[in-house]
Amino acid sequence: MASVPSLASTLQQQLADALTAALPDAGTADPLLRRSDRADFQANGILALAKKLKGNPRELAGQVTAALPAGELIKDIEVSGPGFLNITLADKAIVETLAARAADPEGRLGVPVDAAAGTTVIDYAQPNVAKEMHVGHLRSAVIGDAMVKILEFTGEDVVRRHHIGDWGTQFGMLIQYLIEHPGALKHEGGASDGEAAMSTLNRVYKESRVLFDSDEEFKARSRDRVVALQAGDPETLELWQGFVDESKIYFYSVFDKLDMEVRDPDIVGESGYNDMLEETCRILEETGVAVRSEGALCVFFDDVKGPDGNKVPLIVKKTNGGYGYAATDLSAIRNRVQDLKADTLLYVVDARQSLHFKMVFETARRAGWLGDGVKAVQLAFGTVLGKDGKPFKTREGETVRLEDLLDEAVERATAVVREKAEKVGLSEEEIVENGRYVGVGAVKYADLSTSAVRDYKFDLDQMVSLNGDTSVYLQYAYARIRSILRKAGDAVPAAHPELALAPAERALGLHLDQFGEVLSEVASGYEPHKLAAYLYQLASHLTTFYDQCQVLSPDNAPEVVENRLFLVELTARTLHQGMALLGIRTPERL
């Protein structure tokens, strides 16, 4: 594995060793290294040590400085204020480290794979069978897909799970209607695309709902059909499977528009745990984790109370014998830990479900299904808002269909791409393809660049803007580099550690070197917005670099051209890899 330690980690280790050598009484000490606007880095840890050792911090700083190894990493180090160390790295060290990243034979830019990583089961993108996907499904899908890619890249063994809503009382109504109206699920003309599938499902749902609400006999037959479904009646199950299959055609068409891969084996819905529900309830009751209350099987918590001050339970089994969501979620935990051998369970679920998952996780711990070696985490996300700051709705007050939202984003983005197309020489096919990548990327980036737990405003005008913190800005930065590399002629990217770096070159180089550290932080904290922020800052450094350091100027010496081509080429690779981990494409020409 060709991992390359960052400049910061190398410097951190040298400072820690120097602290131990100069101040053996201090034991293991943290130099508290951070980036600084006064130098490349500042180390503040000596202040705390001086208090502990009752010494003069500036004198201690001098001793530490003297203990640093002679080498090519540090260009300058000064003691500032009450013992701060301001450290400037050598240009040669920066370029050599970047060259090692660029030369990584595995194409990972020197980012290490965590050999100790375990297995994470990630639960995300949870649509409902026989129902349209709407804007509320966007965040779980986009955030979950990004976390899958990031965790896999950093070494985690990831198991995807799409816990679709494919069970419940509404299926009694739908199946009974299908029995009484054979062929209702057939598309006109035999079409099988997603739009036709959803149109058919919508029609069947509306027609069956009208009948259910107006015909008491049909309502009674529908309720009997729910019992038959839960009992495993073969005919009922076959018709239920028809609804599931039809819905999958639709799901896959929407996920395809989102440029997301969803695989059939990863879809394990509520129905997938039916055979475990009774055993889950039995174990909970026999172990005393759950108790009977007014006929229902419940789990109580001292710190969960309603407005009246009474404890609010997690209902595992209802009074009528039906199973609540908790029974399914707890059975899923058993399956994921015991059968899939998960070390981590990650749920990308709306923040409004936080109390439910808090109670489910605690119940699983009490039952012993979440042992000491397993953690369960809800990656909670906020709401998508309209420009008015209220939940995103259509003008008629209805929930926005996810397909409509994506289609409009692609339409807007295609118009932006078309404006620039003639200058770049794009074909109509490229305009259409890039319009899709820019539009879908704009939607994803707006979501991922916001801390997941926060709400955000859905503003397409801003999302497809070439200016500001948008995916389009990053995509154009990448395309601009590719254009420069095409124009370079015989000049090739090559690192020249012997050259002095201009300030903008240094800033770009130091930021490039942080990529692996940022990914590690993003993966451990489940915070994809930090990767988006890093990439935006990278593109901003690139813009400053362009303003101050012309790449292909005839006034530049050949080695300067090669070194600057090296810097922008590595920037392009980092942008491309980072955007790919967010699920966003980077077109070669825009």
Side-chain angles (χ1 to χ4, degrees):
M1 184 57 57
S3 68
V4 179
S6 70
L7 291 160
S9 63
T10 303
L11 179 58
Q12 168 88 8
Q13 188 59 55
Q14 287 194 9
L15 285 168
D17 292 344
L19 279 168
T20 302
L23 310 167
D25 295 340
T28 304
D30 186 348
L32 298 179
L33 188 69
R34 63 178 179 82
R35 291 300 303 272
S36 171
D37 56 2
R38 295 178 177 274
D40 294 333
F41 294 94
Q42 187 176 82
N44 300 335
I46 292 172
L47 281 177
L49 277 177
K51 289 180 181 177
K52 179 180 176 182
L53 301 174
K54 297 185 171 71
N56 182 306
R58 286 185 65 87
E59 289 180 5
L60 292 178
Q63 293 173 36
V64 171
T65 301
L68 281 167
E72 298 181 332
L73 178 63
I74 298 172
K75 175 184 178 182
D76 184 54
I77 183 166
E78 67 163 353
V79 179
S80 172
F84 298 137
L85 294 180
N86 289 329
I87 303 162
T88 301
L89 300 183
D91 293 349
K92 183 180 181 182
I94 295 173
V95 177
E96 285 181 341
T97 298
L98 296 181
R101 294 199 178 287
D104 180 354
E106 297 180 22
R108 294 178 51 85
L109 304 174
V111 177
V113 171
D114 183 0
T119 298
T120 293
V121 175
I122 177 166
D123 189 323
Y124 69 109
Q126 308 105 348
N128 293 309
V129 166
K131 291 184 181 178
E132 284 187 303
M133 292 178 70
H134 54 76
V135 68
H137 292 108
L138 177 67
R139 301 207 72 185
S140 178
V142 169
I143 296 169
D145 187 53
M147 283 313 311
V148 166
K149 290 177 166 65
I150 291 164
L151 290 171
E152 285 183 335
F153 188 77
T154 53
E156 195 77 4
D157 181 15
V158 177
V159 180
R160 301 164 174 83
R161 278 294 174 266
H162 305 295
H163 191 88
I164 64 173
D166 65 351
W167 204 250
T169 54
Q170 77 271 23
F171 286 100
M173 174 186 79
L174 291 166
I175 294 167
Q176 189 61 35
Y177 183 84
L178 208 56
I179 288 173
E180 298 177 15
H181 299 80
L185 277 183
K186 290 182 180 177
H187 305 156
E188 291 182 12
S192 60
D193 61 283
E195 195 68 45
M198 196 63 246
S199 175
T200 301
L201 288 166
N202 264 344
R203 175 175 51 77
V204 171
Y205 186 88
K206 289 175 181 177
E207 290 171 1
S208 63
R209 171 55 70 179
V210 168
L211 197 57
F212 186 87
D213 291 340
S214 62
D215 186 333
E216 289 298 321
E217 292 184 0
F218 176 76
K219 182 182 289 188
R221 292 195 298 275
S222 296
R223 286 173 173 163
D224 288 342
R225 187 59 56 185
V226 174
V227 176
L229 176 64
Q230 293 176 339
D233 174 65
E235 180 194 18
T236 305
L237 282 174
E238 184 179 351
L239 292 168
W240 165 81
Q241 189 65 52
F243 279 106
V244 173
D245 292 343
E246 194 75 5
S247 295
K248 282 183 179 179
I249 294 170
Y250 164 68
F251 294 160
Y252 290 153
S253 74
V254 177
F255 289 130
D256 184 60
K257 283 190 175 185
L258 261 176
D259 200 15
M260 265 180 60
E261 180 191 35
V262 173
R263 303 175 304 204
D264 211 56
D266 304 331
I267 297 179
V268 183
E270 295 169 355
S271 64
Y273 306 100
N274 283 343
D275 293 344
M276 300 177 68
L277 299 181
E278 186 54 43
E279 185 181 35
T280 295
C281 292
R282 177 181 59 77
I283 293 171
L284 291 173
E285 190 168 14
E286 287 179 356
T287 56
V289 173
V291 295
R292 295 283 172 178
S293 177
E294 299 179 17
L297 186 62
C298 305
V299 182
F300 288 92
F301 309 85
D302 291 336
D303 59 343
V304 182
K305 296 179 181 178
D308 57 3
N310 292 327
K311 294 180 181 178
V312 176
L314 180 70
I315 300 175
V316 184
K317 195 171 187 179
K318 302 172 187 176
T319 305
N320 65 4
Y323 300 101
Y325 287 122
T328 305
D329 287 332
L330 288 164
S331 297
I333 287 175
R334 289 176 57 207
N335 168 259
R336 293 168 183 183
V337 174
Q338 296 168 4
D339 298 333
L340 301 180
K341 309 302 181 187
D343 306 292
T344 302
L345 305 179
L346 183 62
Y347 293 79
V348 188
V349 183
D350 192 315
R352 289 170 291 189
Q353 298 293 319
S354 294
L355 179 59
H356 169 78
F357 278 99
K358 176 185 175 182
M359 292 194 290
V360 165
F361 295 161
E362 175 58 25
T363 299
R365 293 224 174 272
R366 292 180 187 180
W369 299 326
L370 281 178
D372 293 339
V374 184
K375 66 176 180 178
V377 180
Q378 182 193 0
L379 202 176
F381 56 82
T383 304
V384 181
L385 306 175
K387 290 183 183 180
D388 57 3
K390 297 177 181 177
F392 198 21
K393 303 281 186 181
T394 65
R395 289 180 181 176
E396 294 75 29
E398 297 178 357
T399 303
V400 178
R401 295 171 72 234
L402 185 51
E403 276 193 298
D404 292 343
L405 180 150
L406 294 172
D407 287 344
E408 185 178 356
V410 170
E411 185 180 326
R412 296 274 195 96
T414 303
V416 171
V417 172
R418 195 176 295 280
E419 286 178 15
K420 303 269 186 180
E422 187 174 341
K423 181 179 178 183
V424 184
L426 296 181
S427 67
E428 181 61 26
E429 184 180 356
E430 287 175 308
I431 291 171
V432 171
E433 182 180 75
N434 288 355
R436 181 189 174 208
Y437 294 157
V438 172
V440 173
V443 171
K444 289 184 175 182
Y445 187 84
D447 195 313
L448 293 167
S449 60
T450 305
S451 175
V453 76
R454 290 177 54 200
D455 301 340
Y456 78 94
K457 292 182 181 180
F458 194 92
D459 183 349
L460 270 179
D461 292 328
Q462 173 58 30
M463 289 179 186
V464 299
S465 171
L466 297 175
N467 302 310
D469 188 6
T470 67
S471 67
V472 194
Y473 175 62
L474 301 180
Q475 287 168 322
Y476 267 98
Y478 176 80
R480 186 177 182 185
I481 295 173
R482 301 306 304 170
S483 175
I484 288 173
L485 293 171
R486 285 192 295 270
K487 293 175 182 176
D490 294 334
V492 294
H496 285 274
E498 75 279 4
L499 293 177
L501 296 177
E505 291 175 305
R506 288 180 56 83
L508 180 61
L510 287 168
H511 194 74
L512 283 168
D513 186 54
Q514 293 177 357
F515 184 54
E517 290 182 343
V518 169
L519 282 182
S520 177
E521 185 179 353
V522 168
S524 61
Y526 310 120
E527 297 173 302
H529 70 279
K530 291 185 176 180
L531 175 56
Y534 169 84
L535 295 172
Y536 173 64
Q537 290 161 3
L538 180 59
S540 300
H541 280 301
L542 181 69
T543 299
T544 303
F545 168 85
Y546 282 143
D547 290 342
Q548 299 179 12
C549 305
Q550 211 172 346
V551 178
L552 299 178
S553 170
D555 297 332
N556 290 340
E559 61 270 22
V560 172
V561 173
E562 291 176 351
N563 200 56
R564 289 180 177 175
L565 284 173
F566 162 73
L567 285 173
V568 296
E569 199 266 343
L570 185 58
T571 300
R573 289 172 60 188
T574 305
L575 279 170
H576 177 77
Q577 181 65 76
M579 293 287 269
L581 293 176
L582 294 178
I584 300 173
R585 306 263 187 165
T586 42
E588 294 289 304
R589 301 197 306 160
L590 268 180

